[in-house]
Amino acid sequence: MSETSAEQVASTEALVAERKPRRLKFRIFRYNPQDPNSEPRMQEYRLEETPFMTLFIALNRLREEQEADLQFDFACRSAVCGSCGMLVNGRPTLACKTLTSDLPRVIHLHPLPSFQLVGDLSVDTGSWFRGMSERVQAWVHERAPFDPEAQEERMDDELAQAIYESDRCIECGCCVAACGVAATNDEFVAPAGMNRIARFMMDPRDGRGRRDWFDVISSDEGVFGCIGLMACQDVCPKELPLLEVYAYLRRKALGGWFLGGK
Amino acid sequence: MSDLQRTDVLVIGAGLAGERCAMEVAASGRECVILSLVPPRRSHSCAAQGGMQAALGNCVKAEGDSPDVHFLDTVRGSDWGADQEVARIFADNAPIAVRELAHFGVPWTRVRAGTNHYFIKGEQVAIEEPKEKAGLIMHRDFGGTAKWRACYAAAGTGHAALYAIDSEVIRLGITVRDRMEAIALIHDGERCHGAVTRCLRTGRLGAILARATVIATGGHGRIYGKYTTNATINEGAGAAIALATGRVPLGNMEAVQFHPTGLWPSGILVTEGCRGDGGYLLNSAGERFLVALEPEKQELASRDVVSRHMMNEIREGRGVDSPNGPHLWLDLRHLGEAHLTTRLREVYEICRDFLGVEPWNELVPVRPTQHYSMGGMRVNKDGEAYGMSGLYAVGEAACWDMHGFNRLGGNSLAETLVAGRVVGRRIADALERTATSADIALVDQAVEGQTRRLRSWADRPEGGSVYEIRDAMAEIMMNRLGVFRTGDELDSAVADLRVLRERLRDASLRSTSPGPNPEIGFAIRLEGMLDLALVTAEGARARTESRGAHSRLDYPARDDERWLNRTLARWPVDADGPVLDYEPVGLLDLPPGERGYGHAKRVEMEMSLEDYNAVVEAAQREQGRLASAEAIGSQLREGAWRAAEDGSKA
Ligand SMILES: Cc1cc2nc3c(=O)[nH]c(=O)nc-3n(C[C@H](O)[C@H](O)[C@H](O)COP(=O)(O)OP(=O)(O)OC[C@H]3O[C@@H](n4cnc5c(N)ncnc54)[C@H](O)[C@@H]3O)c2cc1C
Ligand code: SF4
Ligand code: SF4
Ligand code: FES
């Protein structure tokens, strides 16, 4: 075993030690709609920073040590389930993958806007996304029933990868929270909804044709409602190329208009 | 009274297993309600990245694969602890499950014809995939299998599967009540009639009455506290509320799988690939301790072995101290930036996002970590509970028992879908045969009982913190019910867990604010978790052998003469601990033999296979089980594995 590696360990430890523990100041939005005595307010907490501290670790410590009824949502704590979207210093993002070391000493936390508040930092993204899925009928409109005896239909791997790319949305709601149009128009399918439409549109297993899609996308509730400021793409933690998605949908929508679709 | 709802089938859990089961019930025209702690798509099934085992045999490295070979791998992998009838139902139905997911829209990675470059044991190999197979579902290698068998959707298999299944649930219009927790079962001692619920939006209690109730609550890794790769919501409530009936046994709770590289302090899984591609493990002195301990395989020794040595280093004081507790280092620096950002991109992203480190410059803190629960609510091959009718379980929450004492990677996702489909169909059939309705007094009684339970928490005088008890439980579980176990440590674990149960009675809440108070929710889940922890410890202490993931340093041999059986743990009402019982593992088709890896010592069974199977058949008859030869599922085709065995060796 090499000595250099021991040296490097020492240097890494020094690195960890160098990140001097800061005393973080949290300013957190508090409101419990179930409590008649509760008023919306900002509350302040202090917490010693530890190495590799994420907001998942920090918020749980606050709840366990200082404020037992603080509400927030985490499940996977690994940026795959989409539970923990919130405004961190004003920006919608996943709290579980936010390192405190990347933030200033004073950290402001608010719930995501545009969703029903459950309490404190917890919002009801689940109902919003189910509603969206129902509205755009976000499932494969099968051409034939499943045959358990048959071999799978073939698909080109390039296409499979393209579908996978747009299937990667984790429904965290960050893009919806960032979108000014979604904030003022409840009917707008919002960035995540448009991405979902594109995902099924490009899937050859889905039997819907242009005409079926036309109403969903070619209105102010659909792709033409978007004013293209791209706040959504900037905040998407999965880095989905939402800009490209809208371009694709606009092309499809216009094509549908002129050609009448299939 | 509080919120009361009636339905035909109540499914508790909206992961892959619960939702697939609900689809089957709904397709039969029955009404179904699904409960979940979180919106369905946030269930932990979404976190599975690696793949789903199904013997389609589509690529060159999968040639000659078949459900027979898959059956063999599964039974061997289980160290013969599996129920072989269930392993057979599973292996035969897994290909259907994967193809059905393709039908529902999962973008499976597909075979690319022509020259493909794969990494096999760290080396690049060129393989020519034939044109005839182009566009079929591709496989990857997953360890413990004779063939490449894991089907995968890039790096997001569980996510893609769960989204596809949930889309179908929406299409079918099935009611999902998310942020709605089941906190107790409603039963009359003989039959289950639904569950008492607590709403996580309002904190209000309610009840759902159902003719059949399905536990699909996933794994219970959180009994290991933060030492788990599982989500924070995997707290085992399903197994706990079944156990609390006093009638329903849990199976093989001592069978727990660990993973050597959980990121520290968060526990997030870092894939095997990081060692496969040449990563090192270092102790606090910067030594590659595995070089001396495992001269041959070093870091590539099996998961169990690597985890054991890591725990020893930490225990003997060679762990790296940190404010979060001791850990070891994973050294990936020599692999270089180019390799890490391409071949090991997921590992790189985890390091970047959760540690803020560049793994080509810095070391990565890791620890062995709990990963999968083989044990759970014991059910027969049709998914029915023992000891109570109208109650079923599917998925990781169940001990259906195709995994025995060791689950093969990729088998659990496939299990959720196969079990959901098979058991859902069984439930639909059973509803045809039974007409029951619960006495409303029973419901009131159950809800009142839970109201009292919650009130007793709210009314307690000042006492200890529930979170401290959780942390104490986690230390006991990880240090004494971890990768390697000894009688002395298990004795002390049992004693200390009992003390913790006492302490929990004296603990109190810091907050009693109204609504979905997270602390009281956690307190009642912790009661259940401590029960599961004690059942795990008692089972492990009693099992004086080593089998699969249950490794006893004081009993290193697998003992088929005494222990070719399954632990059943019941907790009689008001008893202060579980009562253990045992049953044969099930019909034996593949005779007990060598697993081919792990420990080699073995005590052979003296009983003949015929006699063993006669005992199983008699027991099944007595319990009135359905014969497995019915239209769905499969039956053991005696000796069918023989041809496969020759094939898989070739
Ligand atoms: C990091 C990680 C990676 C994995 N990778 C793989 C892999 O590559 N391949 C593989 O085959 N397996 C893998 N597994 C295992 C596999 O993901 C799980 O075994 C499987 O997804 C479990 O599915 P499930 O439906 O049983 O439970 P889950 O998906 O965990 O769902 C449980 C459901 O129950 C609900 N619930 C729980 N308690 C209650 C309650 N009291 N009331 C109401 N609802 C409740 C939850 O809200 C949730 O909806 C992995 C596991 C982990 C942790
Ligand atoms: S680009 Fe369109 S969808 Fe995105 S935030 Fe702006 S208005 Fe909303
Ligand atoms: S598109 Fe991105 S930001 Fe929007 S919900 Fe999906 S993952 Fe979140
Ligand atoms: S907790 Fe799952 S994405 Fe943050």
Side-chain angles (χ1 to χ4, degrees):
Chain A
M1 77 212 50
S2 68
E3 284 157 40
T4 45
S5 93
E7 261 166 43
Q8 279 165 332
V9 172
S11 76
T12 322
E13 277 176 342
L15 241 169
V16 171
E18 250 169 52
R19 293 194 193 121
K20 270 192 218 101
R22 293 185 300 173
R23 206 158 158 66
L24 302 174
K25 191 201 277 186
F26 286 88
R27 303 208 47 179
I28 300 181
F29 174 85
R30 301 295 317 274
Y31 177 53
N32 177 2
Q34 302 299 320
D35 182 353
N37 300 320
S38 173
E39 300 265 329
R41 64 196 184 279
M42 294 303 286
Q43 202 151 313
E44 213 170 274
Y45 305 91
R46 278 157 208 274
L47 192 66
E48 185 103 335
E49 192 171 29
T50 52
F52 311 125
M53 181 181 259
T54 59
L55 288 180
F56 165 71
I57 293 171
L59 282 168
N60 276 290
R61 277 193 50 196
L62 286 179
R63 175 147 93 190
E64 292 172 14
E65 296 164 14
Q66 302 184 33
E67 190 72 275
D69 62 358
L70 184 61
Q71 293 184 54
F72 48 76
D73 295 318
F74 290 100
C76 72
R77 51 84 178 92
S78 57
V80 295
C81 79
S83 293
C84 64
M86 60 181 72
L87 296 183
V88 178
N89 290 337
R91 183 186 158 84
T93 192
L94 296 179
C96 70
K97 77 161 194 177
T98 302
L99 286 156
T100 55
S101 55
D102 290 341
L103 299 174
R105 198 178 69 82
V106 182
I107 299 166
H108 294 254
L109 301 177
H110 288 83
L112 287 185
S114 292
F115 298 99
Q116 169 92 39
L117 182 75
V118 175
D120 301 338
L121 300 173
S122 170
V123 293
D124 188 358
T125 45
S127 302
W128 191 93
F129 276 96
R130 171 133 180 175
M132 180 274 279
S133 281
E134 284 167 354
R135 218 136 55 85
V136 308
Q137 305 197 345
W139 52 83
V140 170
H141 288 51
E142 54 186 10
R143 296 168 190 274
F146 176 63
D147 175 2
E149 306 297 320
Q151 191 179 51
E152 66 271 21
E153 259 180 61
R154 289 170 198 257
M155 179 182 275
D156 194 63
D157 193 49
E158 297 286 339
L159 178 60
Q161 296 313 315
I163 297 172
Y164 175 78
E165 278 303 306
S166 60
D167 202 48
R168 282 169 48 242
C169 164
I170 58 171
E171 302 197 341
C172 64
C174 288
C175 59
V176 183
C179 172
V181 179
T184 52
N185 180 355
D186 283 345
E187 299 294 303
F188 182 49
V189 298
M194 287 193 279
N195 178 65
R196 186 61 29 96
I197 291 170
R199 181 248 172 271
F200 286 96
M201 232 173 183
M202 73 172 81
D203 193 329
R205 293 167 292 198
D206 194 305
R208 280 175 282 188
R210 283 208 181 98
R211 204 159 266 156
D212 301 303
W213 288 116
F214 187 72
D215 289 343
V216 197
I217 54 175
S218 304
S219 66
D220 285 354
E221 277 72 57
V223 72
F224 293 110
C226 161
I227 52 176
L229 299 174
M230 283 307 133
C232 48
Q233 175 158 328
D234 284 350
V235 301
C236 175
K238 289 285 144 180
E239 293 167 11
L240 289 172
L242 298 169
L243 186 67
E244 284 169 34
V245 168
Y246 306 150
Y248 170 82
L249 290 179
R250 285 203 175 91
R251 269 197 320 275
K252 286 278 182 182
L254 294 173
W257 183 265
F258 291 122
L259 304 171
K262 71 169 177 207
Chain B
M1 200 200 91
S2 43
D3 167 29
L4 173 72
Q5 186 176 7
R6 285 174 196 271
T7 185
D8 290 327
V9 180
L10 169 65
V11 179
I12 306 172
L16 281 172
E19 290 211 318
R20 183 63 192 81
C21 180
M23 281 168 61
E24 204 62 27
V25 170
S28 77
R30 299 290 175 173
E31 197 198 12
C32 184
V33 173
I34 308 179
L35 303 186
S36 176
L37 301 173
V38 293
R41 297 178 181 203
R42 315 210 189 289
S43 301
H44 201 51
S45 291
C46 76
Q49 301 188 326
M52 187 180 296
Q53 302 283 6
L56 304 175
N58 285 339
C59 65
V60 168
K61 297 291 284 179
E63 262 168 28
D65 202 9
S66 70
D68 291 331
V69 186
H70 192 183
F71 166 80
L72 273 179
D73 284 342
T74 303
V75 175
R76 284 197 182 121
S78 79
D79 226 358
W80 275 267
D83 181 328
Q84 298 194 14
E85 281 184 276
V86 172
R88 180 46 91 173
I89 295 174
F90 165 71
D92 286 355
N93 282 282
I96 299 176
V98 162
R99 288 177 171 140
E100 185 185 60
L101 280 179
H103 184 78
F104 294 150
V106 168
W108 294 114
T109 297
R110 302 293 177 138
V111 177
R112 289 172 178 250
T115 312
N116 284 260
H117 298 279
Y118 305 128
F119 270 84
I120 300 177
K121 300 210 169 83
E123 297 200 6
Q124 203 177 6
V125 179
I127 289 180
E128 193 71 18
E129 298 291 350
K131 269 216 185 67
E132 317 83 85
K133 300 282 188 176
L136 295 177
I137 294 170
M138 182 62 191
H139 304 283
R140 64 157 62 133
D141 193 10
F142 221 80
T145 62
K147 305 283 177 189
W148 285 19
R149 186 179 300 130
C151 308
Y152 62 105
T157 310
H159 167 93
L162 187 58
Y163 274 52
I165 288 289
D166 190 55
S167 297
E168 291 298 304
V169 164
I170 297 174
R171 180 173 75 90
L172 293 167
I174 298 173
T175 307
V176 182
R177 303 187 67 182
D178 69 351
R179 292 180 189 265
M180 185 64 86
E181 176 178 13
I183 59 171
L185 293 176
I186 300 170
H187 67 95
D188 54 22
E190 303 283 318
R191 193 172 179 88
C192 181
H193 297 287
V196 179
T197 57
R198 176 171 177 264
C199 174
L200 301 177
R201 289 182 169 83
T202 63
R204 275 196 283 278
L205 295 191
I208 300 185
L209 271 181
R211 295 168 60 202
T213 303
V214 186
I215 304 279
T217 49
H220 50 263
R222 287 279 154 179
I223 67 173
Y224 285 79
K226 61 188 170 184
Y227 303 114
T228 178
T229 61
N230 289 187
T232 59
I233 53 172
N234 290 17
E235 298 182 313
I241 61 181
L243 189 67
T245 61
R247 309 258 325 183
V248 177
L250 308 182
N252 281 349
M253 290 293 282
E254 66 271 29
V256 182
Q257 194 173 69
F258 295 85
H259 198 284
T261 50
L263 202 67
W264 189 248
S266 58
I268 298 169
L269 179 77
V270 184
T271 74
E272 223 87 78
C274 60
R275 284 177 297 123
D277 285 9
Y280 302 147
L281 287 164
L282 309 179
N283 60 20
S284 57
E287 292 165 348
R288 272 183 70 194
F289 51 95
L290 285 162
V291 175
L293 296 167
E294 296 289 326
E296 213 158 290
K297 294 207 163 159
Q298 306 179 354
E299 274 83 358
L300 295 178
S302 76
R303 272 188 193 182
D304 294 7
V305 173
V306 172
S307 302
R308 168 193 184 177
H309 291 310
M310 290 171 75
M311 285 311 293
N312 273 343
E313 288 298 302
I314 292 176
R315 258 197 265 179
E316 289 172 15
R318 291 189 293 277
V320 182
D321 280 327
S322 85
N324 305 307
H327 60 81
L328 295 163
W329 293 118
L330 174 66
D331 187 355
L332 303 169
R333 293 171 301 188
H334 52 289
L335 301 181
E337 181 172 351
H339 187 87
L340 284 161
T341 51
T342 53
R343 272 280 301 154
L344 288 175
R345 188 171 151 193
E346 291 138 51
V347 175
Y348 153 65
E349 286 178 352
I350 287 176
C351 294
R352 182 194 63 189
D353 292 347
F354 300 97
L355 298 171
V357 308
E358 292 174 335
W360 50 93
N361 282 327
E362 291 178 64
L363 299 171
V364 181
V366 292
R367 266 188 73 115
T369 300
Q370 190 278 353
H371 186 46
Y372 186 82
S373 318
M374 273 77 75
M377 189 184 112
R378 174 65 184 141
V379 294
N380 67 18
K381 61 199 170 212
D382 303 314
E384 283 178 289
Y386 289 17
M388 185 163 292
S389 57
L391 182 62
Y392 299 80
V394 286
E396 194 171 338
C399 178
W400 192 29
D401 222 3
M402 49 169 281
H403 305 301
F405 278 76
N406 177 50
R407 163 201 78 130
L408 294 185
N411 261 1
S412 37
L413 280 184
E415 174 191 17
T416 60
L417 295 157
V418 172
R421 199 161 179 271
V422 170
V423 174
R425 193 85 57 88
R426 291 296 193 211
I427 293 170
D429 291 348
L431 288 179
E432 298 292 332
R433 297 192 304 269
T434 48
T436 54
S437 65
D439 186 353
I440 203 79
L442 199 64
V443 181
D444 287 340
Q445 207 184 321
V447 175
E448 270 161 33
Q450 293 306 310
T451 309
R452 271 199 306 278
R453 180 181 175 202
L454 291 178
R455 197 172 313 125
S456 87
W457 269 104
D459 291 347
R460 288 182 193 192
E462 210 165 296
S465 139
V466 289
Y467 299 112
E468 279 166 17
I469 295 176
R470 173 203 59 194
D471 291 345
M473 171 177 74
E475 293 304 322
I476 296 171
M477 296 307 286
M478 192 61 213
N479 295 323
R480 294 178 243 168
L481 280 135
V483 187
F484 284 84
R485 301 156 180 195
T486 65
D488 291 347
E489 286 181 351
L490 292 169
D491 285 339
S492 76
V494 167
D496 290 351
L497 286 168
R498 285 180 185 275
V499 171
L500 280 188
R501 283 171 50 80
E502 296 295 321
R503 271 178 62 191
L504 188 60
R505 270 177 225 138
D506 296 331
S508 74
L509 305 178
R510 300 288 172 269
S511 154
T512 52
S513 40
N517 183 318
E519 194 186 18
I520 195 164
F522 183 74
I524 61 172
R525 266 173 252 138
L526 183 59
E527 294 176 337
M529 281 194 274
L530 264 179
D531 290 351
L532 301 187
L534 188 58
V535 169
T536 305
E538 294 269 22
R541 174 164 76 160
R543 185 171 283 275
T544 48
E545 67 153 354
S546 292
R547 184 180 297 273
H550 172 67
S551 288
R552 289 277 303 247
L553 293 175
D554 44 354
Y555 294 94
R558 190 181 97 198
D559 185 348
D560 288 339
E561 173 55 19
R562 285 188 60 205
W563 291 105
L564 190 59
N565 60 20
R566 178 176 304 108
T567 309
L568 296 177
R570 275 192 191 79
W571 195 309
V573 178
D574 295 330
D576 66 349
V579 176
L580 302 184
D581 194 4
Y582 295 90
E583 66 171 2
V585 293
L587 293 177
L588 297 176
D589 181 18
L590 182 69
E594 296 298 337
R595 200 158 52 133
Y597 51 93
H599 57 86
K601 269 192 271 173
R602 191 155 70 81
V603 180
E604 292 203 25
M605 178 167 76
E606 275 168 27
M607 204 186 225
S608 71
L609 281 189
E610 290 71 29
D611 290 347
Y612 190 96
N613 286 343
V615 173
V616 177
E617 273 166 2
Q620 291 195 347
R621 257 198 315 279
E622 194 181 313
Q623 289 153 344
R625 300 282 153 68
L626 301 173
S628 53
E630 288 189 9
I632 58 159
S634 307
Q635 67 184 125
L636 282 178
R637 288 185 295 282
E638 216 176 303
W641 50 270
R642 274 177 221 284
E645 189 175 44
D646 301 340
S648 73
K649 277 188 187 146

